[in-house]
Amino acid sequence: MMKVAVILSGCGVYDGAEIHESVLTMLALVRAGAEPEFLAPDIPQLHVVNHLTGEVASGESRNVLVESARIARGKIKDIAQANVGDYAAVFFPGGFGAAKNLSDFAIKGADCQIQADVLRFAKAVAAAGKPACYICIAPAMIPHVYGSGTAVTIGTDEATAAAITAMGGQHISCPVKEFVIDKDRKLVSTPAYMLAENIADAATGIEAAVKATLALI
């Protein structure tokens, strides 16, 4: 069974990894015969959001690795200690954690930076020519990993697409149940909850993107 990496960014759509997307990615991988291994950076979250009210919880702090372990059922590694050579492909579920913890895209837009351990790992994946799949808002990190001209989608959101273009990416509008592939870079992206109206919409696109990514191995 081939091992693949799934990079998490916390636990919860507003301040971490989107739980539906993370679980759907894992389910699609296992059904396709892959063995997912979870990774996350051992860093503080940007902030903690009360998911009942949508408001930032003042005075509360959480750790990205610890929170990600909730989704991984405790089986997770610090991405700083991970070796790209151990994995056949890598997957980045979305959620605001990708834009707040794995990067600061939610704050700085086109001027964003990617967290150092995450960037090292993602660039090593690209340099090794291994397939990668970025889901939902996570594709906003792609231009900083793969460089100018990379084909990428976050769906149809004009402001996010404009920021990706400003970073040098080639944004392609895409329906929720489909994906965009940059074959030269073995790179797949899909909109998921950037467009999904329900979990079934997200599941269809994610499963298609997972299959397309595994086919590039």
Side-chain angles (χ1 to χ4, degrees):
M1 185 179 289
M2 60 185 168
K3 185 184 292 186
V4 300
V6 178
I7 315 303
L8 298 179
S9 58
C11 182
V13 58
Y14 299 128
D15 59 10
E18 214 293 323
I19 296 171
H20 295 181
E21 292 175 358
S22 301
V23 173
L24 289 169
T25 299
M26 174 175 32
L27 180 61
L29 285 168
V30 172
R31 283 181 169 172
E35 178 187 355
E37 184 166 276
F38 294 97
L39 307 174
D42 185 7
I43 58 173
Q45 290 184 186
L46 172 67
H47 55 209
V48 177
V49 174
N50 180 326
H51 279 58
L52 185 61
T53 65
E55 297 177 353
V56 174
S58 61
E60 186 174 351
S61 63
R62 298 188 185 183
N63 178 280
V64 173
L65 180 62
V66 172
E67 290 300 295
S68 298
R70 294 176 180 271
I71 296 174
R73 293 171 61 90
K75 295 182 179 179
I76 192 165
K77 293 181 177 179
D78 180 355
I79 196 170
Q81 307 302 320
N83 184 346
V84 166
D86 293 338
Y87 308 104
V90 61
F91 296 81
F92 287 84
F96 275 106
K100 292 179 177 180
N101 302 326
L102 303 189
S103 74
D104 56 6
F105 180 79
I107 309 300
K108 296 185 177 179
D111 294 324
C112 71
Q113 293 185 328
I114 300 176
Q115 195 273 337
D117 297 324
V118 175
L119 182 61
R120 176 197 62 81
F121 188 88
K123 283 198 169 237
V125 169
K130 296 191 174 187
C133 179
Y134 289 70
I135 298 164
C136 191
I137 192 63
M141 298 188 289
I142 284 175
H144 283 332
V145 177
Y146 291 87
S148 297
T150 305
V152 55
T153 192
I154 46 77
T156 58
D157 184 77
E158 292 183 1
T160 308
I164 288 172
T165 300
M167 290 188 283
Q170 179 189 353
H171 185 267
I172 299 172
S173 292
C174 177
V176 65
K177 296 181 180 180
E178 298 179 15
F179 57 87
V180 164
I181 184 168
D182 188 315
K183 291 184 178 179
D184 290 342
R185 297 171 175 86
K186 295 186 178 181
L187 179 65
V188 177
S189 51
T190 190
Y193 274 108
M194 288 294 289
L195 287 177
E197 295 184 359
N198 54 58
I199 194 171
D201 284 350
T204 300
I206 288 172
E207 184 173 5
V210 166
K211 287 182 177 178
T213 306
L214 295 178
L216 295 172
I217 295 174

